[in-house]
Amino acid sequence: MLAIIAEKPSLARNIVAGIGDMTKKNGYYENADYVVTWAFGHLFSLYDIEDYMQNPPEKTKWTLDNLPCFPEKFEFKLKKDQNGKTDDGVKKQFGVISALLNRPDVTGIVNAGDSDREGEIIVRLCINHALKSKKPVYRLWLPDQTPQTVAKGIKEMKSDSVYDNLAKEGFSRTYIDWLYGVNLTRYATIKSGTLLRVGRVIVPIVKAIYDRDNEIKNFKPETYYALVSKAITAGEEIELVSKYKFSENEKAKAEKCCVRMNALQAVVTDKKAKKEVVSAGKLYSLTKLQNHLGKKYKMPMERSLAIAQKLYENGYISYPRTNSEYLATNEKNKFKKIIGDIKNLGYGIIFKDKKSIFDDSKIESHSALTPTYKIPQKSALSNDEYTVYSAIFKRFCAVFCEEECVAAKTEINVSLGGKEDYKLKGSVIVTAGWTKYDGAPKTDKILPDLKVGDIINVNFRPEERQTAPPKHYTIETLNNYLKNPFRDEKTPQDGDEEEYKAIFKGLELGTEATRTGIIDNAKKSGYISLKKDVYYIENNGTFLIEQLLDMNISMDKYKTSELGQALKKVYHGDMTVEESVNMAKEEIKRVFDSDQSGGTGFYGDRIGLCPKCGKAVLRGRYSYACEDYKKNCDFSFNIRMLGCSVPQSQATALLGDGKTDKLKFVSKAGKPFEARLKLDENGKVVFDFN
Ligand SMILES: [Zn+2]
């Protein structure tokens, strides 16, 4: 008898469907060969700092005394509910798991956590805490949750020890993020008087958006003159743009240059026309799917992931938190069958055995997102579910489309008196191919029918243009940055080799599995906001980043990426859990040491002069207050008011200029509003709605 522990009830149900013929009991299913039970995701969490102490102080009072905390051995406890009380549901289910694992007729145990790092340790923790005598443990590793795949997976189970390194990476990740999160969150919060959520990945994400928005805010557009010719030749307007540019005060020079250029003759010196096969996009990884849905439907990432997760739990799509756009070669037979099924529904697709589709070297643990054997009726899905499913389905059909997409491409070279060359490009789709299923690629306009030797009319004029500021991050551009934070955005990528190398080395910030949740957290904490598909920094985010900079907590992309790479090394067996954890400890120690040496303390900072008595206004833990406060002066105002942390720079502006920039507040009734803070004639801080 094998006891299978699924990560979630939904997975347990799908496993039961794959086994067939099981009886539902209280908290598990059973037949002659198997019992199947489940966790609710994480049943265990790491100890809090106070749990490691013999005489813990009251938990609600954070103090610098017990920081930094580096436990000798990390301990786990059953997860508590939101109020820190025993969670009866968790306790009861763990009781069921314990009883089943220790039943004498249960001879082996199956780890059926989700097929990833987190799932591996969720179930391992249950087994480690429950099992009283040694029993063999196997791993059920599922690319999707259809009954066919479950049945096949059970037949091919390997020992769970095959996944030891994955588990080690999982524990490293858990310990490192605890060390950072707990120590630095408490430290920053105590120092600033405001709850600041500090985490290994959340900070560089907020920092990226903060930096970009500052760049935009400080951008000064420059005017320049471009030399552009728009003239009709053979009935079509042809635009030529010179590579020469002139600055704002060189208009006369630009005009003279145009006169000289217009005196020259423009001749077609070369023409290439060819038909070219246009390939479909690649299958979707989670990020690429989220990028597409964000761009096209303005769907936030947590929404697209939640829907993909539901489609996966219903068996309609493969494992969603994948970072690959390729398929595993050992799944070829499965895809042959799925393609056959889809073809029977009337789609013109065919199995293709190509390296651009099946490539094990670009897969870490899961294939790209695909449909499964189980193809839903449209009516079985909600609108959003249909949107997500059909994006995956259509891309799959495009990749395996029987008919090729062919475009006619023309390239014409125009020489202006032998002094400057211009390339004109045009293309048009001749055979639709995969574009029937998955949106046509951008095509250039059609070019007029020109031959070598033809003369082109020119009429160059200076055209006033402005340099453009950088763009705010969108779902897509932020994801691209996080996937490879060290790539220069301006240089085009050379194939996808570089991207996969970056992922496999762990250069990325966060992972496919964690990024969505962390970005959502940053939104919920009011650090950033998402409007349509564009991210903006919020006052709380500015406050967070500026505080951390003040406290010398760098947590930049380099540090985060360094730890990400350490996790990969643990996964590959090139580093121990302890070594990776020590790296995090070193960095945290550095922060605390630099504080001891007197560097960056900051309550007590002078932010300006008191409008009432002219003495210094100092930063306190919770307020900015006159140094004579409570003695001879009563000037003070809160750092945090109505959901807004007033940044120090704004407080200085208030004292200097008498008012702040517009800040975002939330009324007591929960309604957001914008206002400035200003000093009234009595030196009192009041809202200014103008
Ligand atoms: Zn005063």
Side-chain angles (χ1 to χ4, degrees), residues 597-641:
S597 62
T600 56
F602 70 51
Y603 40 83
D605 281 358
R606 292 169 67 106
I607 59 155
L609 295 178
C610 176
K612 290 197 171 174
C613 72
K615 291 202 169 112
V617 172
L618 306 178
R619 185 191 174 116
R621 205 173 263 182
Y622 303 108
S623 62
Y624 300 108
C626 176
E627 63 181 339
D628 227 7
Y629 185 67
K630 280 190 176 166
K631 284 175 240 159
N632 300 310
C633 184
D634 66 353
F635 180 77
S636 117
F637 63 100
N638 288 339
I639 293 173
R640 193 169 171 80
M641 43 179 102

Side-chain angles (χ1 to χ4, degrees), residues 346-349 394-395 397-398 401-402 433-439:
Y347 291 85
I349 65 173
K394 283 181 191 163
R395 181 54 65 87
C397 290
C401 183
E402 194 164 14
W434 57 266
T435 62
K436 282 183 290 198
Y437 302 123
D438 197 32

Side-chain angles (χ1 to χ4, degrees), residues 8 11 18 99 116 142 152 190 313 315-316 329 334-335 365 394 432 437 452 461 468 481 527 549 575 583 595 606 615:
K8 288 182 208 113
L11 177 55
D116 55 31
L142 298 173
K152 184 166 176 276
I190 293 167
E313 286 173 8
Y316 297 138
T329 50
K334 172 175 141 183
F335 287 113
S365 47
K394 283 181 191 163
Y437 302 123
V452 172
R461 285 178 185 176
Y481 166 75
Y527 297 151
L549 289 173
M575 191 185 263
M583 282 176 67
D595 181 50
R606 292 169 67 106
K615 291 202 169 112

Side-chain angles (χ1 to χ4, degrees), residues 539 642 644 650 659-666 672-678 686-690:
N539 289 327
L642 295 182
C644 173
Q650 292 295 327
K659 62 174 190 235
T660 65
D661 291 341
K662 277 199 174 160
L663 302 172
K664 286 180 182 161
F665 299 93
V666 181
F673 68 94
E674 282 192 13
R676 296 174 199 278
L677 296 173
K678 68 170 183 188
V686 293
F687 286 115
D688 174 4
F689 293 97
N690 295 316

